[in-house]
Amino acid sequence: MGGKTFHSNITVNYLFVLFSNLDLTRGLWMIYLATRGFTLFELGILEGVFHVTSFLMEVPTGAVADLWGRKASRVIGRLFFLASLIFMFYSQLFLFQLIGFMACALGYNMESGAGDALVYDSLLLDGRKQEYMKINGRKELVYQGGAIVAFLIGGYLAVRSYPLVFHLSMGICVISLLSGLFFREPPIERTTKRESHGPASPDGRSVTLGRRIIRSMYIQTVSSLRVIRKRPKIAFLIIFSELLFTFLTMLFFYLQNYWKGTGRDEFFIGGGFAAESLIAGIFSLRAEEIERRIGEKGVLLSMPLVAVICLWGVALTEWQAAFFLLAGVVEGILIVAVSTYVNRLIPSENRATILSFQSMTFSLFMVVLFPAAGWIGDTVSLKAAFLAIAVFGTLLYLLYMLFSRSFWSQQPEEG
């Protein structure tokens, strides 16, 4: 396919990512629901339902993107997220809040594998896949820019009017949905034959169609698992990177409560998160240059080590803010680098499904580890929880170093 046929997808993706992450409710939803009368226990259940839904639906939604289109998956994801905002703002009943959080998880699921897959395959078809790390770094900068604006403006407006925060977020969500309509779907050349089913019988059309859809998704999932079995480096990168990101995410959530308990106000907390997002965005833009200087091995050895240092700094010192900002350097570089390394190993026809495995892995770790850290924080102290996170992070790094030796000499089998 000649010419830069899918070049416009890159620009549209920047706009889509920006508007998708201008969610002014981020960092505020727990406070808002608490003011509506929901207990902390109920809020914990809602967060748990979000991650359980995300864990269960990541692979099916990734298969949807591979089988029926990445553009459709991303647009539908925005519809789910819009529904979640409506449920959260208007619903008084806990049941409807549960439905809203499930819709929110599905919104992220529909985007998680489809977004990177659409961009990588667009570059692949245009003969520009070597530019993916640079473009992904720019995308991450746009992502973090949206987060910065959302933290600052959302916090400012929330003091005055929560309805304004939610209504603006809904309007911005609609804009992101409309921007997604401008994507051009990259065609996927498949190397496996899809099972053909006969026409549906007149009295069983919907059942037959449902079976065909389920069968197609099953075949897509099995095919993707075969790719991972053939290329175990994919599983290695996914498991260790997502576990590391889980530890950093737990810092994000529990530092809010820790700082609030030490007398810091919302302006300090929001400013700290905005600063971390800015640092992550800057270093995501420099990820390609850093990788060029120290190589894949250098990135994958040094960044996890810096992350472990940050975990211990938060646990043992009073300089939590400084070490949290340093963690932004790790986040910015690793998100871009790991995404690039994993995409190089995946065939296009399995890309969205396997990238959804990656998001599913993160959800699994969050479901298990996030409540465990919270229990330690409740029964002992948040400092003890930070210490436990640092200990497990160190053990992870030692295992990481042990298993990584077998992969450094391998050249990537590009998909």
Side-chain angles (χ1 to χ4, degrees), residues 271-288:
F273 292 153
E276 192 270 348
S277 293
L278 176 62
I279 290 172
I282 292 173
F283 277 87
S284 67
L285 197 61
R286 302 291 300 274
E288 183 188 29

Side-chain angles (χ1 to χ4, degrees), residues 41-325:
F41 178 69
E42 288 173 326
L43 297 181
I45 292 177
L46 292 175
E47 182 70 12
V49 166
F50 173 91
H51 286 290
V52 169
T53 303
S54 183
F55 172 76
L56 294 176
M57 296 306 297
E58 271 293 356
V59 174
T61 53
V64 166
D66 276 333
L67 293 169
W68 293 290
R70 286 79 189 270
K71 173 182 176 178
S73 181
R74 301 183 84 179
V75 171
I76 293 171
R78 289 285 85 198
L79 288 173
F80 275 119
F81 186 74
L82 178 61
S84 75
L85 289 175
I86 293 172
F87 274 108
M88 182 181 292
F89 181 67
Y90 290 105
S91 299
Q92 297 283 355
L93 296 178
F94 183 70
L95 174 62
F96 288 137
Q97 291 294 341
L98 284 174
I99 296 172
F101 272 75
M102 293 170 67
C104 184
L106 286 170
Y108 283 110
N109 290 158
M110 298 296 287
E111 163 67 15
S112 61
D116 286 342
L118 187 148
V119 171
Y120 193 89
D121 285 325
S122 296
L123 294 172
L124 189 65
L125 290 167
D126 284 346
R128 301 170 56 205
K129 66 179 180 180
Q130 72 279 2
E131 298 179 38
Y132 177 75
M133 181 175 283
K134 176 175 66 178
I135 289 173
N136 198 29
R138 293 173 180 169
K139 184 266 292 183
E140 185 64 20
L141 178 62
V142 172
Y143 175 94
Q144 298 294 351
I148 293 169
V149 173
F151 281 131
L152 296 178
I153 295 182
Y156 175 80
L157 294 178
V159 177
R160 290 154 180 78
S161 171
Y162 267 106
L164 180 59
V165 170
F166 275 87
H167 290 146
L168 279 176
S169 293
M170 292 175 197
I172 295 170
C173 183
V174 172
I175 294 174
S176 68
L177 186 155
L178 294 175
S179 69
L181 298 177
F182 290 91
F183 285 120
R184 298 191 64 185
E185 185 69 44
I188 305 303
E189 181 180 350
R190 302 193 179 277
T191 58
T192 57
K193 292 183 179 180
R194 302 294 172 194
E195 187 169 315
S196 176
H197 299 267
S201 59
D203 59 347
R205 186 180 305 274
S206 61
V207 174
T208 303
L209 177 60
R211 287 176 178 172
R212 291 178 65 185
I213 291 174
I214 292 172
R215 182 62 178 168
S216 295
M217 294 177 71
Y218 171 78
I219 293 172
Q220 178 68 22
T221 301
V222 171
S223 170
S224 299
L225 288 172
R226 288 198 187 106
V227 172
I228 294 176
R229 184 184 302 174
K230 180 182 176 183
R231 303 173 184 179
K233 188 175 180 179
I234 297 174
F236 170 77
L237 289 172
I238 286 176
I239 291 172
F240 283 100
S241 65
E242 295 308 310
L243 192 49
L244 183 61
F245 289 139
T246 298
F247 292 140
L248 297 179
T249 300
M250 288 194 289
L251 289 188
F252 170 81
F253 279 106
Y254 288 120
L255 276 174
Q256 298 176 40
N257 294 330
Y258 178 80
W259 282 334
K260 186 67 176 176
T262 58
R264 305 296 177 89
D265 59 20
E266 287 78 4
F267 181 76
F268 173 88
I269 297 171
F273 292 153
E276 192 270 348
S277 293
L278 176 62
I279 290 172
I282 292 173
F283 277 87
S284 67
L285 197 61
R286 302 291 300 274
E288 183 188 29
E289 177 185 344
I290 293 170
E291 198 266 354
R292 206 165 44 235
R293 290 187 177 184
I294 66 177
E296 176 181 332
K297 182 177 179 180
V299 169
L300 293 178
L301 285 177
S302 62
M303 289 301 102
L305 177 60
V306 175
V308 171
I309 293 172
C310 292
L311 296 179
W312 282 107
V314 170
L316 297 180
T317 76
E318 295 303 318
W319 298 89
Q320 288 91 2
F323 282 104
F324 182 67
L325 294 180

Side-chain angles (χ1 to χ4, degrees), residues 391-405:
V391 170
F392 280 106
T394 302
L395 293 175
L396 169 69
Y397 184 72
L398 294 176
L399 288 172
Y400 175 80
M401 293 297 296
L402 180 65
F403 285 102
S404 64
R405 297 179 183 275

Side-chain angles (χ1 to χ4, degrees), residues 345-367:
L345 299 167
I346 306 174
S348 292
E349 63 186 282
N350 302 106
R351 196 175 308 285
T353 305
I354 293 178
L355 293 179
S356 289
F357 283 143
Q358 185 173 6
S359 297
M360 184 185 74
T361 302
F362 175 79
S363 294
L364 174 62
F365 291 147
M366 283 292 289
V367 168

Side-chain angles (χ1 to χ4, degrees), residues 366-378:
M366 283 292 289
V367 168
V368 175
L369 297 176
F370 189 82
W375 178 81
I376 295 173
D378 282 336

